[in-house]
Amino acid sequence: MLAIYSKFLDKLETLEKILLAASSAAMVVIIVYQVILRYCFNASNSWSEELARYLFIYDVMLAASIAIRKNSHLQGDFLINLLKPKQAFTSVATVLGIVFLGFLFSYSLTLCTAAGANISPGIKVSMAVPYASMPIGVVLMILTSIEVVLKNLAFLYKGIDKEAGSV
């Protein structure tokens, strides 16, 4: 079951990386365009900076879920390494993170629906579009956090089996 879930997340991570690469390239092109327009032609437009900002926000939310899966997010490694077994405390911390993400998801949906009536000044889209990055990112982080917990619990379970077999 865990292998199937991990394969699903592998495909999802591949899609996320493709989106990250495309949006990062788009941001570079948009910002270079804006700089050339501003400094070479002494003109500017309103949409380029806003679009680059919204792409960056989506990039952060997509990359956060990859960071959770790779265990490369900010954490108190010193404290976790002191505690034994490490996987048990990592699982507890991750479950607490999932609870926090659940609350964040609820509030982000409220914010997203409330902002839906507003229109962005530069690219003229509903503000629900940039605000939607939060619930999308939170769902991805929850999905990857579940995998982290399951892998840690599977490791602990295998460790218990080995100890029981050696007695």
Side-chain angles (χ1 to χ4, degrees), residues 26-93:
M27 278 192 298
V28 168
V29 169
I30 290 166
I31 292 170
V32 166
Y33 164 75
Q34 175 69 4
V35 167
I36 290 171
L37 195 64
R38 185 174 293 165
Y39 291 106
C40 294
F41 299 105
N42 203 20
S44 67
N45 53 32
S46 59
W47 63 267
S48 60
E49 185 177 335
E50 189 173 289
L51 180 58
R53 182 182 321 121
Y54 296 158
L55 288 173
F56 182 72
I57 293 168
Y58 270 94
D59 282 358
V60 167
M61 297 308 293
L62 290 175
S65 68
I66 295 172
I68 288 173
R69 189 159 192 233
K70 304 281 186 208
N71 200 25
S72 62
H73 57 286
L74 183 63
Q75 60 186 359
D77 282 341
F78 176 74
L79 182 61
I80 289 174
N81 289 334
L82 285 177
L83 304 171
K84 302 290 181 205
K86 180 181 174 180
Q87 290 79 11
F89 291 101
T90 301
S91 295
V92 170

